[in-house]
Amino acid sequence: MGHHKISKRNGIQSKKKTLSVAISALIAGSSAAMLVTSATANAQEEATEQEIERIFVTGVPGGSSDPLESSVSISSLEGDSPVYEVSRTTAEILRQIPGVRSEASGGDGNANIAIRGLPIASGGAKFLQLWEDGLPVLEFGDISFANADIFLRADSNVARVEAIRGGSSSILASNSPGGVINFISKTGERGGGSATLTKGLTYDSTRFDFEAGHNWENGWYGHIGGFYRVGEGPREAGYDANKGGQIKANLTKEFDGGYIRGNMKLLNDHAVGYMPTPMYVSGTNANPTYSSIPGYSANGHTLQSVYTDSVQVLNEDNTIGQRSLANGMESDVTQFGFEVNLDDIGGGWSLLNKFKMADIKGEFLVPFPASVGSQDDRGAFAGNYLAGTTDRTDFSYVYATGPSTGQQLDSSTSLALVHLFHTEMQDLSNLMNNLDLSKVISLSGGAELEIHTGWYHSEQATENFASWPTYLTSVEGDGNTAYVDVIDDVTGETLTDGGLISYGPAEWGDCCVGGFDIDTKIDALYFNTTYISGDLTLDGGIRYDQGRTTGQRSQAPNTVTNFDLNNDGVISAVERQVTLHNSSPEFAVDFDYDYFSYSFGANYLLDDDLSVFARYSLGYRANAERLMGLLYTPANVVDPDSSAFGKRVGDIDDARIENKVTMMEAGIKYRMDDFDINAVYFFAETTEVVGESRVTGGPLSLRDYESSGIEVEAIYSIGDFNFSGNVTWTDAKIASDDLLEDFVGNVPQRQADWVYSGLATYDTDSYTIGLNLVGTTDSYVRNENVLVMPGYMTTNVFATYRFNDQLSVSFNINNLTDEIGLTEGEDAAVGAPEPFTNEFVRMRSISGRSAVASVKYSF
């Protein structure tokens, strides 16, 4: 975003005064790349009360601290920006970054995050990585039911968020050809801190944030901070669906010629997860109108309630387990790390090493509506999913839980067949280390050549177990959703057990009971050089990645049998169709890969306030856990007793292990005293491995995508008024598919032509008021390009009053107009004759209007 002012209150930026700081923006490999030295980090913290020139430290090749002189698309969000106040989740913060499409509708985690039109065929953040202090949260951002943002919390520890898009990320990181988003922590060099109490005004939520730094003035300084929160979340659940907290700390010792820093993170949090929810749609597929079901708000209610909290699941040993939906998206992280920076290890070489070791586990327990409809619509479901009732519809529905237990449902009450996504993330531990060596060589005529070379090592575990029981629920708002039992009108028998229909996902053939235990090890070597001569900067780099994934997969054979799970000697209705877990390994996993990535860029400074740049890059994202879809294929099954067990599984060619991204970009950067503007054109080609079924895998296809577009971001400041905003236009299509040819030429699912955001503030010594707009235009629900999701715009407002330099109060409203903003859906098309009226669909909306107030004390 060029040179700009840092306001200590609102984080809006504009150019004023230059801070002279010696910086070595080190280009390091996959994880510690281009990170700031201690002197730079300290100077930036000390300068928060000055008007300074922003110095970017993530992803900037060579020694340039000025983005005007860099050939990389980079952006920054300061830690004191009101964006953090009006954002309820990490994914909402990311919507402020140009080129990033963050589907912030899943709760505090489980967001789908894309960049520059790169596809989201499954979920998570596949082609970009989320970092904390220069190392990935997880090596892969799209692990099933374990997206990286589930294990990341933005709190008052954050000094700023920096993002690079495309460009040097191909050599900056393994498995991140689209970009990197880096959450940079405060180090405590300048001391001080704050304590903030935040209370929900329109929903039940209480949160306490604290952070404190201290400088002992003898080379030692440190920082500690965190949060604790409890409440039901922005949608009515009727119980504490969000509960937990985090503590982060670091301690630095500076000495002549460098520093050493230790850090730690403890995260134990439960966050409610929101899946697509029942809705009505009327009109046509091309011009639909979506609305809430009477009594159930699409953006204010949820299928989680006190009456659906207690559930039965199939344990790994084929016993019945009791779980609570309050577990939601559980994140349990214990992490330690260190970094060492040495300015001169001999011969003019500098060293920067970053290391972290994290013990990560959790659970994902969230209801997913596999189908929804009226009682008449669902009358036939019992014949499909309950044993011995084929083609029958003579059933009654009674409440199995809640205050009306045993009473028959009102005929107008809708029903949902719910699969509970119960996945135990037993081990997501990782170990990462990045070693970077750099040297600056002075050439004739004042030119410089900066060299970076290094080694990145990563070990990522992925061990889980999944069993997805099926329940029948009512669809009711205000926390009144309850489980429903099915009564056989002929025999009087109760065919369900407290709403439980099956211990597997009945709508999907009771599949997917099982788990896998795999480990991926990656080693990468990289080399980058930057040549600077006058107004010209040239840089180029190459990266060699080598990886191997080993382990095993266990999965039920997807056959239904009678089994007395509760050992009472009686086969109940739900025990007539049990898909048992086979704990023996179904097949071994052992595959390896290697590839070269590269990136070349040039920047030319036309004058002091105007530059042009261009970059061409090739990068890859390797498949690991997501390759399991291929391993559903019977031809790839290896008998554990055979000599082949533990060998490479099947004939997995490199094209199905690696997803390739080729990207070109060219742009212009311009700044004036109070105005900055950057514009970038990009073109990307992506080859991705996709499954015929998003759930059960099946035959895999190689699909090619093309996307091009323009990103524009601007900053303006005049007097007490500040504005920052961005808009991205993207033209994307599916260029080829070797399995699903009907998709060729279609727009990738959920890809809008336009996404935009803007933040305006009026900031005085005593108060700040502001407005934040975030929006998107229409997109298609699925790759079939039939049913449309309409665009939407959310309006967020905020105000802060400062009694003095220490004490302030704030108030903000998220989604002021209570928009139903759809981000994804499960129905590719509505099959009813057009125009249709009040057809049931399952869509995921952003949460509705919510207001909070906070009191902050700074010291």
Side-chain angles (χ1 to χ4, degrees):
M1 285 191 181
H3 291 237
H4 28 265
K5 164 187 172 182
I6 304 299
S7 164
K8 71 174 181 178
R9 289 189 293 269
N10 61 24
I12 303 298
Q13 305 165 344
S14 65
K15 175 204 168 190
K16 291 292 183 179
K17 181 180 178 181
T18 301
L19 171 69
S20 297
V21 178
I23 183 170
S24 176
L26 301 177
I27 182 161
S30 162
S31 48
M34 300 113 171
L35 293 175
V36 66
T37 65
S38 176
T40 304
N42 299 342
Q44 288 175 345
E45 281 197 23
E46 289 177 327
T48 56
E49 296 192 27
Q50 304 178 31
E51 294 171 343
I52 67 172
E53 184 175 77
R54 164 47 61 217
I55 297 172
F56 287 87
V57 300
T58 303
V60 182
S64 174
S65 63
D66 183 354
L68 194 68
E69 301 171 7
S70 169
S71 57
V72 177
S73 300
I74 47 184
S75 301
S76 177
L77 289 171
E78 294 304 307
D80 56 359
S81 169
V83 164
Y84 297 88
E85 295 184 29
V86 298
S87 299
R88 302 288 183 256
T89 66
T90 301
E92 290 191 15
I93 296 172
L94 302 184
R95 292 190 300 180
Q96 310 295 327
I97 299 173
V100 172
R101 177 165 58 95
S102 179
E103 298 176 0
S105 57
D108 210 346
N110 195 39
N112 299 320
I113 307 170
I115 191 167
R116 288 188 168 177
L118 303 188
I120 302 179
S122 50
K126 182 169 186 175
F127 292 104
L128 62 84
Q129 283 185 336
L130 301 181
W131 287 4
E132 285 184 294
D133 297 313
L135 291 171
V137 176
L138 296 174
E139 183 62 51
F140 306 103
D142 65 339
I143 296 174
S144 299
F145 305 101
N147 296 353
D149 65 324
I150 294 178
F151 305 95
L152 173 66
R153 296 291 183 270
D155 58 17
S156 56
N157 286 294
V158 175
R160 64 191 176 280
V161 177
E162 295 186 351
I164 68 166
R165 306 180 301 281
S168 58
S169 64
S170 296
I171 51 171
L172 164 65
S174 298
N175 298 307
S176 191
V180 166
I181 300 175
N182 190 13
F183 289 74
I184 299 173
S185 300
K186 299 173 183 177
T187 63
E189 196 276 339
R190 59 183 289 266
S194 65
T196 306
L197 180 65
T198 303
K199 181 68 178 175
L201 301 179
T202 57
Y203 65 101
D204 179 22
S205 177
T206 302
R207 173 169 171 148
F208 177 71
D209 287 77
F210 77 97
E211 54 96 9
H214 186 72
N215 190 331
W216 286 271
E217 304 295 342
N218 57 358
W220 287 95
Y221 51 90
H223 189 272
I224 186 170
F227 76 92
Y228 181 80
R229 53 92 179 267
V230 61
E232 67 175 343
R235 304 190 184 199
E236 292 188 58
Y239 63 91
D240 290 335
N242 290 333
K243 187 175 183 179
Q246 172 178 261
I247 295 177
K248 295 178 68 176
N250 58 72
L251 181 64
T252 302
K253 171 59 178 177
E254 278 192 5
F255 47 83
D256 290 340
Y259 71 90
I260 184 170
R261 176 177 297 141
N263 58 72
M264 58 82 67
K265 168 183 171 179
L266 300 176
L267 172 64
N268 190 298
D269 194 29
H270 297 265
V272 61
Y274 302 126
M275 285 289 172
T277 199
M279 293 185 67
Y280 278 155
V281 63
S282 299
T284 65
N285 283 290
N287 188 26
T289 299
Y290 295 89
S291 60
S292 296
I293 295 173
Y296 184 87
S297 170
N299 65 2
H301 293 148
T302 176
L303 294 178
Q304 290 101 326
S305 80
V306 291
Y307 310 128
T308 61
D309 180 53
S310 180
V311 297
Q312 298 181 59
V313 301
L314 185 69
N315 287 328
E316 201 166 359
D317 60 357
N318 292 318
T319 60
I320 297 175
Q322 299 293 327
R323 297 291 190 276
S324 170
L325 287 186
N327 286 350
M329 297 183 290
E330 179 187 8
S331 51
D332 189 351
V333 181
T334 301
Q335 177 178 305
F336 299 93
F338 69 85
E339 60 182 279
V340 177
N341 180 42
L342 301 176
D343 294 340
D344 189 354
I345 59 173
W349 287 92
S350 298
L351 177 149
L352 175 64
N353 191 86
K354 282 180 171 283
F355 169 86
K356 84 159 188 175
M357 181 171 59
D359 179 24
I360 305 174
K361 54 183 177 290
E363 183 177 30
F364 192 96
L365 185 55
V366 178
F368 173 86
S371 61
V372 61
S374 69
Q375 292 177 43
D376 290 339
D377 293 334
R378 303 312 304 150
F381 91 90
N384 293 328
Y385 305 126
L386 293 173
T389 61
T390 304
D391 298 327
R392 288 180 50 194
T393 61
D394 46 353
F395 306 106
S396 298
Y397 303 96
V398 300
Y399 285 103
T401 58
S404 300
T405 298
Q407 298 181 24
Q408 190 163 339
L409 272 68
D410 185 277
S411 60
S412 65
T413 302
S414 302
L415 296 175
L417 191 73
V418 170
H419 295 163
L420 295 180
F421 282 153
H422 163 246
T423 303
E424 300 171 8
M425 303 312 303
Q426 298 165 336
D427 189 8
L428 290 170
S429 299
N430 56 48
L431 180 150
M432 298 169 181
N433 190 86
N434 194 91
L435 172 65
D436 179 82
L437 299 173
S438 62
K439 182 176 182 177
V440 177
I441 302 173
S442 296
L443 305 175
S444 61
E448 286 186 345
L449 183 69
E450 181 168 351
I451 298 171
H452 286 270
T453 187
W455 165 65
Y456 171 69
H457 177 77
S458 171
E459 300 179 14
Q460 177 68 61
T462 310
E463 179 182 359
N464 75 358
F465 172 75
S467 65
W468 301 341
T470 301
Y471 276 83
L472 184 65
T473 74
S474 63
V475 180
E476 300 177 85
D478 301 319
N480 291 320
T481 294
Y483 290 128
V484 175
D485 272 329
V486 181
I487 308 298
D488 188 323
D489 289 342
V490 177
T491 66
E493 180 185 8
T494 300
L495 300 177
T496 50
D497 182 5
L500 177 67
I501 290 176
S502 170
Y503 286 98
E507 186 106 343
W508 301 332
D510 291 294
C511 72
C512 314
V513 178
F516 47 84
D517 181 2
I518 62 174
D519 294 285
T520 299
K521 294 183 179 180
I522 297 172
D523 286 283
L525 299 174
Y526 60 89
F527 176 84
N528 187 82
T529 183
T530 302
Y531 173 79
I532 304 172
S533 178
D535 296 326
L536 178 66
T537 300
L538 302 173
D539 68 86
I542 190 169
R543 182 184 185 90
Y544 175 69
D545 276 86
Q546 186 178 66
R548 183 179 182 183
T549 297
T550 59
Q552 60 190 27
R553 167 95 196 193
S554 66
Q555 188 186 13
N558 293 342
T559 57
V560 177
T561 185
N562 293 345
F563 193 82
D564 185 13
L565 284 171
N566 58 10
N567 294 313
D568 64 354
V570 177
I571 301 295
S572 66
V574 297
E575 291 175 330
R576 297 172 196 162
Q577 47 180 28
V578 178
T579 304
L580 296 176
H581 173 233
N582 177 14
S583 59
S584 300
E586 185 186 19
F587 51 71
V589 179
D590 189 347
F591 60 88
D592 53 51
Y593 59 88
D594 66 304
Y595 56 79
F596 283 95
S597 303
Y598 58 81
S599 181
F600 301 97
N603 187 93
Y604 187 74
L605 196 64
L606 298 174
D607 61 39
D608 289 344
D609 293 323
L610 179 65
S611 67
V612 293
F613 73 95
R615 178 168 291 277
Y616 183 83
S617 304
L618 171 68
Y620 291 87
R621 158 62 208 268
N623 285 311
E625 175 265 344
R626 285 288 183 181
L627 193 60
M628 293 300 102
L630 176 61
L631 304 182
Y632 287 115
T633 306
N636 290 327
V637 175
V638 179
D639 184 348
D641 296 327
S642 75
S643 59
F645 186 74
K647 305 298 183 183
R648 183 184 175 104
V649 178
D651 183 19
I652 309 176
D653 57 69
D654 289 343
R656 299 187 185 275
I657 298 174
E658 304 155 5
N659 303 279
K660 182 174 72 173
V661 176
T662 304
M663 188 176 295
M664 184 275 288
E665 58 189 301
I668 186 170
K669 303 176 184 181
Y670 179 67
R671 67 183 179 208
M672 297 173 62
D673 286 344
D674 295 302
F675 177 67
D676 288 5
I677 186 167
N678 301 330
V680 182
Y681 169 81
F682 62 85
F683 175 79
E685 293 180 322
T686 305
T687 299
E688 183 183 28
V689 182
V690 295
E692 182 179 42
S693 167
R694 295 184 303 154
V695 178
T696 58
L700 289 196
S701 174
L702 284 179
R703 182 178 298 165
D704 292 325
Y705 301 83
E706 292 180 0
S707 64
S708 60
I710 298 174
E711 300 165 351
V712 179
E713 54 181 329
I715 297 170
Y716 178 67
S717 177
I718 181 170
D720 293 327
F721 175 78
N722 298 281
F723 171 81
S724 65
N726 67 80
V727 60
T728 301
W729 170 74
T730 304
D731 180 23
K733 68 177 182 179
I734 298 173
S736 67
D737 191 301
D738 62 8
L739 181 65
L740 302 172
E741 295 182 358
D742 290 345
F743 286 178
V744 175
N746 288 358
V747 179
Q749 61 190 20
R750 312 199 298 270
Q751 177 61 60
D753 288 344
W754 296 90
V755 294
Y756 57 89
S757 70
L759 177 66
T761 64
Y762 187 80
D763 187 21
T764 71
D765 289 338
S766 58
Y767 68 88
T768 298
I769 57 175
L771 172 70
N772 176 223
L773 302 176
V774 181
T776 178
T777 56
D778 296 355
S779 62
Y780 287 108
V781 176
R782 299 283 292 276
N783 289 320
E784 287 84 348
N785 281 193
V786 180
L787 184 59
V788 169
M789 289 192 302
Y792 65 91
M793 183 179 71
T794 57
T795 303
N796 309 318
V797 296
F798 52 90
T800 298
Y801 181 79
R802 288 172 285 277
F803 295 96
N804 50 48
D805 288 341
Q806 287 76 42
L807 184 63
S808 64
V809 294
S810 298
F811 170 78
N812 69 77
I813 303 176
N814 183 293
N815 196 0
L816 176 66
T817 57
D818 203 30
E819 289 289 316
I820 293 177
L822 304 181
T823 66
E824 67 172 278
E826 296 302 314
D827 301 280
V830 176
E834 297 181 343
F836 39 77
T837 301
N838 289 345
E839 292 292 322
F840 286 96
V841 289
R842 297 156 298 148
M843 310 293 290
R844 189 158 77 169
S845 171
I846 60 174
S847 293
R849 179 171 47 243
S850 62
V852 302
S854 62
V855 178
K856 181 176 183 178
Y857 181 77
S858 301
F859 52 89

